[in-house]
Amino acid sequence: MAYSEKVIDHYDNPRNVGNFGTQKDVKSRTDIGVGLVGAPECGDVMQLQIKVDEENGIIQDARFKCFGCGSAIASSSLATEWLKGRTIDEGLAIRNTEIVEELSLPPVKIHCSVLAEDAIKAAIKDYKEKRASS
Amino acid sequence: MRLPIYMDHAATTPCDPRVVEAMLPYFTEDFGNPGSRNHAFGWKAEEAADNARQQVATLLGADRKEIVFTSGATESNNIAIKGAAYMYANAPAGSTKRGHIISSPIEHKAVLDPVKRLEKEGFDVTLIDPPQDGVITRQMVEDAMRDDTILVSLMWANNEIGTINEIPEIGKLCHERKVLFHTDATQWVGKMPVDVVADAVDLLSLSGHKMYGPKGIGALYVRRRRPRVRLHALTDGGGQERNFRSGTLNVPGIVGLGKACEIAGAEMDADRERLLALRKKLEDRVAKELDVVQINGHLDKRLPHLTNISFGFVEGEGLMMACKDIAMSSGSACTSASLEPSYVLKGLGVGDELAHSSLRLSFGKWTTEEEVDYATSHIIEGVKKLRELSPLYDMHNEGIDITKIEWAAH
């Protein structure tokens, strides 16, 4: 099946690739939340990092890395775009169905959008937990 | 060089223009039914089918009376496996212990599913667990054999990894034990030499479209001497093809298959040498320029025109997207309707993760060195690009063992 133009665009020019440091580096940073979801044996793994302004709870920056198909890469790339500038509560409100719609994902690729939503939730949860324990 | 480049000849091949040319008259002028015994149209069609039958037989080292035309290898496999099982069953339908059948879990579905159906119908089945190199040996078959074994069905060469099972040794073992031996030779015939007598094969399936012939035509070799193989027909009707396969003969397809066999016999030796050199060039360069790559299957005992490579930390479908101009296939789940990774690679114990990361490239007689070089460069670039994106490659470089992480399967 053919990919939508938006999937191809994100795949060819992925936004916000990278991280704010190695796994070890970011562990102690209370302003950074990390989400690592999926599994290698399932064929997709997403890593999402968010950098939050601890004063106002606004996500200043987001970075991703993804092992997966084009739709998985596009879903996580899109997630980083959408997260920037939102508060963490607004981030939590992002639904996978919005990603499906934006990228015109076919039914067989819906799980990629679900994984992106999971990654967002996991990153925000990680941020909140770090703040609570600091 | 024309784009896109086709490197998926194990899926299907283009029809040779010489094949198409040979077929054309049989659609329009010489359209007769070989079953029409009383007029010139029928005679002409019958003559064409007989000629093609001889061409197929010659390529296999068989007698032309031993060739049954079918719609393709799937039908050939069904007729061979179910037809033999029903004919040689030890007990009637509705009972158990009807006989023992040996096959392997990395066969094509067109073998596995008939075998599984027979199991439901009261036959006992042993699927030989393949070793990691994918090659099934005579010894493994011998260990699986029982007194009530009636049929062994093992492919000649595997369609995903190209590994070659131990034939003729397995066929000879079967003959010593008076067990029928069927081989799905879809990936083998037309590329590698066959001599059904010396190779001790009783039943052999082949397909036209894998060897530059048309789709919708195939053949089943059914041995007539030592032993004379009998089969229970699956399709009832006009009794064509010595009752093994009723239905009006697909004369244009049959003529095309015959021509494809004739061409293969003349040209395959030269093609094979050339394609082996191209594959070696590709594999050597990949190994030199990338780390964590693995060639799947036995390094030597495999088809010369095919390679299956796992690129660690990169997902196969994502990689194919990076190589938009190259047609190839992947064992990645994302490329299958079932969302399961290749059962063949899983069957070898390659691990799901490396199955997701695999690409299969299969060359054909018109594949050029320029095309292989282009594909090699783009695959290497694609792997590098996707590793930049891969969290798993980062972890690998940080020394984190990703198999030790507790992943949440989804």
Side-chain angles (χ1 to χ4, degrees), chain B residues 213-224:
Chain B
K215 294 171 181 61
I217 188 73
L220 176 66
Y221 158 79
V222 184
R223 183 185 279 269
R224 268 166 65 94

Side-chain angles (χ1 to χ4, degrees), chain A residues 3 11 41 44 65-66 109, chain B residues 317-318 356 388-389 410:
Chain A
Y3 298 97
Y11 179 88
E41 62 268 25
D44 28 35
K65 287 228 170 181
C66 178
K109 294 295 182 190
Chain B
E317 188 190 341
H356 283 292
E388 291 283 309
L389 288 177
H410 57 283

Side-chain angles (χ1 to χ4, degrees), chain B residues 10-117:
Chain B
T12 192
T13 57
C15 219
D16 191 311
R18 292 168 287 181
V19 167
V20 177
E21 195 186 349
M23 290 170 70
L24 284 175
Y26 296 92
F27 288 103
T28 48
E29 295 132 57
D30 303 323
F31 58 86
N33 185 335
S36 300
R37 295 285 157 88
N38 302 304
H39 56 66
F41 293 87
W43 300 330
K44 190 113 194 222
E46 190 182 22
E47 190 191 329
D50 280 349
N51 179 42
R53 204 181 296 280
Q54 184 58 56
Q55 289 169 315
V56 177
T58 301
L59 185 67
L60 303 181
D63 185 279
R64 67 188 170 94
K65 294 197 192 82
E66 297 176 310
I67 305 302
V68 175
F69 289 116
T70 66
S71 62
T74 292
E75 189 185 5
S76 297
N77 288 336
N78 272 271
I79 296 173
I81 294 167
K82 291 192 274 195
Y86 296 148
M87 181 57 77
Y88 294 91
N90 295 326
S95 48
T96 56
K97 300 200 183 305
R98 297 181 70 194
H100 179 235
I101 298 165
I102 297 173
S103 190
S104 111
I106 60 169
E107 290 290 314
H108 192 275
K109 293 284 183 192
V111 166
L112 270 182
D113 285 358
V115 166
K116 284 178 182 165
R117 179 181 295 275

Side-chain angles (χ1 to χ4, degrees), chain A residues 3 7 11-12 14 17 19 22-23 36 38-45 47 65-70 73 108-109, chain B residues 313-315 317-318 321-322 324 334 352-353 356-357 385-386 388-392 394-395 398 400 407-408 410:
Chain A
Y3 298 97
V7 168
Y11 179 88
D12 286 341
V17 176
N19 50 51
T22 63
Q23 303 280 350
L36 183 64
E41 62 268 25
C42 299
D44 28 35
V45 172
Q47 177 186 286
K65 287 228 170 181
C66 178
F67 162 82
C69 65
I73 290 169
V108 67
K109 294 295 182 190
Chain B
F313 321 114
V314 169
E315 198 275 334
E317 188 190 341
M321 205 171 157
K324 288 182 189 77
C334 288
D352 282 13
E353 183 216 333
H356 283 292
S357 301
K385 170 191 155 122
L386 289 175
E388 291 283 309
L389 288 177
S390 172
L392 303 178
D394 281 351
M395 291 177 197
E398 283 176 44
I400 299 169
W407 299 100
H410 57 283

Side-chain angles (χ1 to χ4, degrees), chain B residues 38-293:
Chain B
N38 302 304
H39 56 66
F41 293 87
W43 300 330
K44 190 113 194 222
E46 190 182 22
E47 190 191 329
D50 280 349
N51 179 42
R53 204 181 296 280
Q54 184 58 56
Q55 289 169 315
V56 177
T58 301
L59 185 67
L60 303 181
D63 185 279
R64 67 188 170 94
K65 294 197 192 82
E66 297 176 310
I67 305 302
V68 175
F69 289 116
T70 66
S71 62
T74 292
E75 189 185 5
S76 297
N77 288 336
N78 272 271
I79 296 173
I81 294 167
K82 291 192 274 195
Y86 296 148
M87 181 57 77
Y88 294 91
N90 295 326
S95 48
T96 56
K97 300 200 183 305
R98 297 181 70 194
H100 179 235
I101 298 165
I102 297 173
S103 190
S104 111
I106 60 169
E107 290 290 314
H108 192 275
K109 293 284 183 192
V111 166
L112 270 182
D113 285 358
V115 166
K116 284 178 182 165
R117 179 181 295 275
L118 290 169
E119 191 172 25
K120 283 195 199 110
E121 293 176 359
F123 292 86
D124 292 341
V125 170
T126 299
L127 297 180
I128 297 171
D129 199 14
Q132 194 151 5
D133 68 17
V135 177
I136 307 242
T137 64
R138 172 188 163 119
Q139 188 60 50
M140 293 172 202
V141 179
E142 197 162 3
D143 293 344
M145 274 205 179
R146 308 192 325 204
D147 290 342
D148 62 340
T149 304
I150 55 172
L151 174 69
V152 172
S153 179
L154 291 167
M155 64 202 338
W156 205 320
N158 186 275
N159 52 308
E160 286 195 29
I161 52 176
T163 49
I164 300 165
N165 287 330
E166 232 175 65
I167 293 174
E169 291 83 354
I170 293 170
K172 286 178 181 159
L173 167 72
C174 290
H175 281 182
E176 286 163 24
R177 299 288 190 93
K178 305 227 178 313
V179 172
L180 285 183
F181 177 50
H182 165 250
T183 188
D184 175 359
T186 305
Q187 298 290 344
W188 181 273
V189 174
K191 288 139 192 165
M192 305 292 277
V194 180
D195 179 341
V196 283
V197 178
D199 294 326
V201 173
D202 297 322
L203 293 156
L204 177 146
S205 305
L206 65 92
S207 170
H209 76 100
K210 306 283 194 196
M211 48 186 290
Y212 312 100
K215 294 171 181 61
I217 188 73
L220 176 66
Y221 158 79
V222 184
R223 183 185 279 269
R224 268 166 65 94
R225 290 180 63 231
R226 288 187 297 173
R228 181 186 180 89
V229 178
R230 294 177 304 147
L231 297 173
H232 180 98
L234 304 183
T235 308
D236 299 316
Q240 288 90 344
E241 296 301 274
R242 291 166 47 227
N243 255 328
F244 286 130
R245 203 266 190 182
S246 283
T248 296
L249 273 63
N250 167 8
V251 178
I254 287 168
V255 169
L257 175 61
K259 187 68 185 176
C261 286
E262 183 194 284
I263 296 170
E267 298 179 0
M268 67 177 166
D269 290 350
D271 290 340
R272 194 163 56 231
E273 293 302 316
R274 194 178 67 83
L275 298 180
L276 180 63
L278 291 183
R279 184 187 72 184
K280 191 172 181 321
K281 192 175 181 198
L282 178 147
E283 289 178 348
D284 287 351
R285 211 177 127 203
V286 164
K288 207 174 118 207
E289 296 186 31
L290 294 172
D291 60 345
V292 205
V293 292

